[in-house]
Structures are given as C-alpha cells and as structure tokens.
Amino acid sequence: MDRTDVGALVRSAVDGETAAWKALVEGLSPLVWSVVRAHRLSEADGHEVYQTVWFRFAQHLGRIREPEKAGSWIASTARNECLKVLKSLRRLTPTDDPQLLDRASDAPTPEQSVLDSEEAAAQSERVRFLWQELEGLGDRCRQLLRVLVSSPPPSYQEVSTSLGIAVGSIGPMRQRCLRRLRARLDARGAL
C-alpha cells in the first residue's frame, strides 16, 4: 500500500469508517505475516502475534501522530510481539514425556528449605560448641586432637615427629583426650 493511501485510511478509520479499517487490515496484513515468518514462529504463535498487533493498532489508532507511517508502526509492533513470544518460549521446554511431567521438582519446598536452614544452624552451633570445649582441654590434648582431625589424616609417624610423642603413646593418649572431651560435653549437656 502507498503511504498516502495508508494515511487517508487511518484518518478514515479514526472517524469510524468500517470500510477503511477493513482496507487497512487487508492491505497491511501481508506486512504483519512477513515479520512473523521472518521470526520463524509456529503457526499458533504467528496467529497470536497477528491478533495482538491488530489489537494494539486498534488501541492506538487515534493516537498515531503520523498516519502515513502506520505501516512502520505495525511492522515495529509485529517485531516486538514476535520477540516477546520468542523470549517466553526460551523459558518453556515443550515435552510429551509423561514421566518428565509427573516428576517431582528438584527444588526443595519452602518447608524443606526452612528445615535445612535450621539443621545447618544447629550443626554449626554444635561444631562451635565442640571447638569451644576442645579449647578447654590441656595444650597437649588440644594439639594432638587437632593434628589427628586434619585432612588428610597424618600417619602416626608424622604425628610423632611433629608433636614429639612416641608412636606407641599416640593411641592411648588420643583415647584419654577424647574421654576428657566427652566428659566436658556431658557435663555441659551437649551430648
């Protein structure tokens, strides 16, 4: 359609002439469909864009400042609507696999998130309390237990060399230190 014709038809459609509206739709529909095809939308999505473009055009018909450029307005609107559809399609993954549709979500429920958070906080508190009680042991026990819980665990020979304890004394000393730690935790009601 010629720009002058489009401008005259838009003015007439604004004045309520049904024939002008029909002529605009017939004359500019190929433009809308060319934009839809350029974006390679499915037939259903293309019809959705087509209807949305004409709906928006009808909404804004009286506000178009340059009626001769209505074709550009329609092409631009069609492009924007196509991009909206494409963006929404990226968020969706169509499937016909019933097992996938029936599958429970991998995301934790809000209740499970709260429970996990509370458990993590309780675990953190237990670890803090344990280290606090460990600090209350004598230097020798504290050093031995810290070395033995390191990762990867050292060999008894390495412990013997670093702390100056005979290899045969490490096991019994570790047991005595753990008993003392357990007694401290029991006394504080931590176990």
Side-chain angles (χ1 to χ4, degrees):
M1 290 182 77
D2 183 64
R3 279 183 164 210
T4 311
D5 294 338
V6 169
L9 288 171
V10 168
R11 285 186 206 75
S12 297
V14 169
D15 292 337
E17 289 186 33
T18 307
W21 177 257
K22 185 176 179 182
L24 279 170
V25 172
E26 286 176 2
L28 295 176
S29 285
L31 174 62
V32 175
W33 285 115
S34 70
V35 173
V36 168
R37 280 190 303 277
H39 286 84
R40 298 180 177 171
L41 297 180
S42 70
E43 185 176 346
D45 290 333
H47 282 285
E48 183 71 28
V49 167
Y50 178 83
Q51 291 174 4
T52 303
V53 168
W54 287 111
F55 176 72
R56 300 239 186 276
F57 186 65
Q59 282 181 315
H60 295 90
L61 188 62
R63 290 183 258 163
I64 295 177
R65 287 187 223 133
E66 298 177 77
E68 296 78 23
K69 295 183 178 179
S72 297
W73 190 95
I74 284 191
S76 180
T77 303
R79 179 182 165 277
N80 291 336
E81 291 302 319
C82 287
L83 293 175
K84 282 181 191 176
V85 168
L86 290 171
K87 184 177 180 181
S88 71
L89 290 175
R90 277 185 271 168
R91 289 180 281 189
L92 303 174
T93 306
T95 183
D96 60 354
D97 181 4
Q99 289 180 338
L100 183 63
L101 295 174
D102 290 339
R103 176 178 68 113
S105 172
D106 293 337
T109 62
E111 295 84 6
Q112 188 60 48
S113 295
V114 169
L115 291 173
D116 291 346
S117 171
E118 288 175 354
E119 179 58 34
Q123 177 65 19
S124 177
E125 181 62 23
R126 283 190 298 270
V127 168
R128 187 191 65 73
F129 190 72
L130 177 66
W131 283 109
Q132 185 179 19
E133 289 305 314
L134 183 67
E135 290 299 317
L137 295 176
D139 288 339
R140 203 76 170 139
C141 279
R142 188 173 49 245
Q143 288 175 344
L144 177 64
L145 292 178
R146 283 182 183 238
V147 167
L148 290 174
V149 297
S150 62
S151 181
S155 68
Y156 272 26
Q157 185 59 48
E158 292 169 325
V159 173
S160 173
T161 305
S162 67
L163 296 178
I165 301 171
V167 171
S169 299
I170 294 173
M173 185 177 177
R174 183 190 84 203
Q175 285 188 339
R176 281 192 305 275
C177 292
L178 288 174
R179 271 196 302 270
R180 286 179 52 204
L181 180 60
R182 178 175 289 279
R184 290 180 64 88
L185 293 170
D186 282 339
R188 300 274 306 258
L191 290 179

